[in-house]
Amino acid sequence: MFEERFSSTLPFPSKPSGLYEPCRYFLTIGGKRVRPVICLMANELFGEITEDAWYAATGIELFHNFTLIHDDIMDKAPLRRGKQTVHERNGLTAGILCGDVMSIYAYDQLANIQKNLAQVLHLFNKTSIEVCEGQQLDMDFESRGDVTIEEYIHMITLKTSVLLACSLKMGALLGGATEGNAEKLYEFGKNLGIAFQLQDDYLDAFGTTQKVGKQNGGDILSNKKTYLLLKGLELANDEQRVVLDEWLQKDGDDKVAAVLKLYKETGADVACREAVERYSQAAFDCLEQVAVLSKRKDELRVLAEYLLQRDS
Ligand code: IPE
Ligand code: IPE
Ligand code: MG
Ligand code: MG
Ligand code: MG
């Protein structure tokens, strides 16, 4: 239901087409629309979906897509949603500027909100700043060899999970939730977001391009400090650690296959799945504490379960 309204009311004019055509392209090649949907679901926990929640959901999805366009430049990613990334298709300038303008259109949506505008805008701004901070840490970690699991969790909390948490909290606040319930939903989103990014890392390694729509092994090629890599290094015996360290120093056609093999041999793949499970459980515990009738939370439960078991 979000998708229909979203794609039929994209806010971009037609000219200059060099700017807006790639924006439309990127927004029509797919995307799970997870953040706007959970925003609307959180809103619906407290009554009928409000017009304010639609503006919030639309703004959040535009903002998310802006972060993806720039993320693909930073990660040198050729593919997303099974299609060419914007910078690959239209050039670097288009990638930068489309991302910029999309983020401004996101804010323009939020400007339509009537209720609690100052409060939700502060929350959104805080979240946007945190996403930038997380993205910077993600890049910094590429060239560091001493990243800890704790630092990794902090980084993915910033780059990924706070936006899911913010989506839920905004939806809740715009639906008239109490501060306590809004905060519990935020915590639900934070744990869900961590599990979601762990799963994203897992799929980057073990998924297929055909299903995931991204270049397989992209994280391995850019030495991203993912949970898989950090756990692989931790669980490796001396011999395996030497090999893994060697691969971190070099590139080669067989890098992805070799590192994947080590992830399996060390049990890093299983450890990653277990971590997804732990954070999902923590997320569901938070959701239980939201004080609305349990049945009303079913939609969020089902969506969260789908997200954490997805293979695409
Ligand atoms: C991708 O997010 C970026 C991450 C935070 C892992 P999604 O997996 O939600 O991307 P789309 O919007 O569905 O393509
Ligand atoms: C991206 O993390 C998070 C943000 C866009 C803020 P990734 O770099 O892992 O996301 P994908 O795998 O490219 O979607
Ligand atoms: Mg990326
Ligand atoms: Mg990235
Ligand atoms: Mg990824």
Side-chain angles (χ1 to χ4, degrees):
M1 80 188 157
F2 173 80
E3 180 58 28
E4 227 168 82
R5 179 157 160 171
F6 182 68
S7 48
S8 61
T9 57
L10 290 180
F12 311 112
S14 54
K15 285 182 183 163
S17 63
L19 177 61
Y20 293 120
E21 190 279 331
C23 288
R24 268 190 294 272
Y25 160 76
F26 196 65
L27 291 171
T28 48
I29 56 171
K32 296 181 286 300
R33 314 298 191 215
V34 172
R35 297 153 191 82
V37 167
I38 58 176
C39 174
L40 294 173
M41 284 179 177
N43 187 255
E44 214 178 8
L45 289 178
F46 305 96
E48 294 274 299
I49 296 180
T50 64
E51 203 53 28
D52 279 350
W54 282 103
Y55 289 125
T58 306
I60 288 166
E61 185 60 19
L62 289 170
F63 179 83
H64 163 64
N65 280 270
F66 139 64
T67 72
L68 293 184
I69 294 172
H70 281 193
D71 176 73
D72 286 336
I73 297 173
M74 293 158 62
D75 290 346
K76 301 184 181 63
L79 281 179
R80 173 165 305 274
R81 300 168 175 164
K83 299 272 195 290
Q84 275 187 307
T85 48
V86 174
H87 69 97
E88 190 76 14
R89 176 178 179 264
N90 302 93
L92 188 57
T93 310
I96 294 171
L97 208 57
C98 287
D100 289 344
V101 84
M102 210 177 275
S103 80
I104 298 165
Y105 274 94
Y107 275 92
D108 204 42
Q109 287 294 315
L110 302 185
N112 293 315
I113 292 174
Q114 302 288 318
K115 183 174 169 173
N116 296 342
L117 178 60
Q119 187 186 10
V120 295
L121 203 51
H122 279 305
L123 169 63
F124 192 79
N125 288 342
K126 174 172 161 284
T127 305
S128 313
I129 291 167
E130 288 171 339
V131 171
C132 293
E133 293 172 354
Q135 286 288 76
Q136 182 61 47
L137 291 177
D138 176 281
M139 299 310 289
D140 291 346
F141 288 1
E142 280 186 16
S143 52
R144 268 184 49 193
D146 56 353
V147 177
T148 63
I149 298 265
E150 200 184 333
E151 284 179 296
Y152 164 82
I153 296 291
H154 177 61
M155 179 273 283
I156 66 170
T157 301
L158 292 173
K159 78 166 179 176
T160 299
S161 71
V162 293
L163 188 58
L164 280 107
C166 167
S167 306
L168 289 155
K169 187 170 176 181
M170 274 172 81
L173 289 173
L174 295 172
T178 61
E179 204 47 58
N181 274 339
E183 209 42 55
K184 280 288 171 241
L185 281 162
Y186 188 85
E187 288 306 313
F188 163 61
K190 233 161 113 170
N191 285 296
L192 180 70
I194 293 172
F196 182 75
Q197 182 63 49
L198 284 162
Q199 175 79 352
D200 180 82
D201 289 359
Y202 184 88
L203 290 175
D204 193 283
F206 293 109
T208 62
T209 302
Q210 209 202 351
K211 284 205 163 158
V212 183
K214 305 184 217 180
Q215 178 189 29
N216 177 245
D219 288 343
I220 292 174
L221 294 173
S222 44
N223 288 343
K224 289 285 185 200
K225 298 306 176 308
T226 61
Y227 193 87
L228 286 165
L229 178 57
L230 299 176
K231 266 289 165 190
L233 287 166
E234 183 191 305
L235 297 170
N237 60 31
D238 291 346
E239 211 175 299
Q240 290 167 326
R241 190 168 304 110
V242 170
V243 181
L244 206 44
D245 274 331
E246 269 172 16
W247 276 115
L248 286 172
Q249 310 300 325
K250 63 181 182 187
D251 290 320
D253 288 346
D254 24 8
K255 178 165 177 168
V256 173
V259 173
L260 287 181
K261 188 160 165 274
L262 281 161
Y263 286 169
K264 285 192 194 145
E265 285 170 7
T266 55
D269 58 342
V270 176
C272 184
R273 302 241 32 91
E274 286 170 357
V276 171
E277 206 39 60
R278 274 199 308 280
Y279 282 98
S280 316
Q281 201 44 57
F284 287 119
D285 290 346
C286 294
L287 186 60
E288 286 322 304
Q289 291 172 42
V290 177
V292 300
L293 276 180
S294 181
K295 194 145 181 31
R296 292 190 84 106
K297 296 184 270 188
D298 281 350
E299 274 192 339
L300 275 172
R301 275 191 205 104
V302 170
L303 183 80
E305 264 157 24
Y306 149 76
L307 281 183
L308 304 170
Q309 283 163 20
R310 76 204 153 100
D311 64 356
S312 62

